[in-house]
Structure formats: C-alpha cells, structure tokens
Amino acid sequence: ASPSLGQAMRRVLLSPGAKPAGADASLGGKKLLALARAGFIDEARTIATVATSGRGNLEVAEAEATLSLLNGETDGACRRGASLSGGREALFWVRLRAFCYARAGELDAFDLTVNLLRERGALAPADEALFFSLLSKTPPKAMPPIETALQYAAYKAAGFEITPPLIASAEGGVLAAIAADGAAAPALRIEAAQQALAMGVIGPA
C-alpha cells in the first residue's frame, strides 16, 4: 500500500468512463463495495445515497451494510441483511447473521448459523472468537486482530477495547472509520490515521 496507489484506486473507482467490454450490471455494485472496503467512505456513502439503480444488486447491498457497520449503525446493517430477498447464503450475509444473532442473544439461531459457516469452512478464527464472546458477553482469552468492518463492529458492540496493535492488518475502511471516531482513544485514532494516510485513503489534512 502507498499513497499513490490509494489515489490511483480512488480515481479508477470513481471514473465516469465507459465500463470495460463484457462487464455486466453488477460492476457498479462491485465498485461501490470496493470503495467502502478500501476506506473511501464519504465517496461510497454519497454514491449509495444518490444511486437510482442496482438496488437489487447484492454488491450494492453489501456495500450499504458495510458502510452501516463502519458508521456504528449495526441495527441498520442487521435490517439490511434480514430484508434480502435473495442471495442470503453468500458468506458475507451468513457472517452478518451470526453477528446479529450473537448481538441479540438468539442462541438457537446463532448456533445454526455458525454451524453453517463451519460446514462451508468459512468460520475464521477471529470471527468465531468475537461472535462467541459477543454472545457470552465475556472477552476472548486472546483478543483477535481486526481486519474487516464486521469484526470492527463486533468489537464495538461487545465494548472491547481496541488497541493500536489490533489494527495492524485492518482494511482501509476500518482504519478510516477509527480515524474519524471522536470517541476512540487518541493513540488509536492517530495510529489508524497514519495507516490510512500511508494507504492513500485519507489526505494529509
């Protein structure tokens, strides 16, 4: 990651140019999701707000849920997943359901969802530790590192302390969200801002 690569990514994803030959209608949603995950949160939120097409696109829905998780709007993310009419078995949505069930203390539904992830070989150790800790309301023995928006939301929902070493491998979206979080510890915000700046996700100002 470097500032120049981050800015190049931003320009490509926000380009008004013609789409590549053979690209289907899902391209817009994929671009929006990439913006959100990379950390260009304001741009992604603006596009999601003004978009008039693609509402049935799973990538658009995932981008909107990701933005909600990064912004601390966990209820909105859970509602977004519950309202899906199709594509509910995609791994992002199964993981989101596990998080939402753990947060709500719905043990039976949580167990079924976690078992589904296990059967598909898609239960990451960090997700497992955070989901079960969120359900039991007790910290894990070892605090797992944060990479995704969902893991960041799980830390916030459980009230676990986030320290700078935990975000060493975080996605740009998580770093940008932490840098903008006025309730976060100053040392954590500074670390997140420095990493996001080094990625070209935020500007020096």
Side-chain angles (χ1 to χ4, degrees):
S2 73
S4 58
L5 287 175
Q7 288 307 307
M9 181 179 184
R10 179 183 183 277
R11 289 175 125 182
V12 169
L13 291 172
L14 294 174
S15 170
K19 64 183 180 181
D24 61 25
S26 68
L27 179 62
K30 290 173 181 175
K31 288 172 64 176
L32 180 59
L33 178 57
L35 280 168
R37 290 185 61 182
F40 302 107
I41 294 175
D42 291 340
E43 294 89 340
R45 186 175 291 118
T46 298
I47 293 172
T49 300
V50 302
T52 57
S53 61
R55 289 298 172 185
N57 185 305
L58 283 176
E59 283 83 10
V60 171
E62 183 175 340
E64 291 175 338
T66 298
L67 289 170
S68 293
L69 292 170
L70 291 173
N71 201 39
E73 300 167 353
T74 49
D75 287 341
C78 290
R79 283 195 301 270
R80 192 73 183 85
S83 67
L84 283 180
S85 57
R88 289 172 53 82
E89 297 314 307
L91 288 176
F92 173 83
W93 300 110
V94 180
R95 292 188 183 106
L96 179 61
R97 285 202 301 276
F99 163 77
C100 295
Y101 290 141
R103 181 169 166 263
E106 298 182 22
L107 180 59
D108 292 341
F110 173 78
D111 283 342
L112 287 171
T113 308
V114 166
N115 286 335
L116 177 60
L117 286 170
R118 282 202 185 99
E119 289 169 3
R120 298 174 64 178
L123 186 61
D127 289 343
E128 182 173 14
L130 287 170
F131 294 164
F132 276 95
S133 293
L134 182 57
L135 182 69
S136 64
K137 303 188 186 312
T138 57
K141 293 180 180 179
M143 303 304 289
I146 300 172
E147 294 184 17
T148 68
L150 187 55
Q151 292 166 355
Y152 173 57
Y155 260 89
K156 297 271 285 183
F160 298 151
E161 180 185 5
I162 301 175
T163 58
L166 293 174
I167 61 171
S169 299
E171 292 179 348
V174 174
L175 296 174
I178 292 174
D181 183 2
L188 179 64
R189 293 186 70 188
I190 291 169
E191 176 65 23
Q194 289 177 333
Q195 288 192 47
L197 177 63
M199 290 180 174
V201 170
I202 61 175

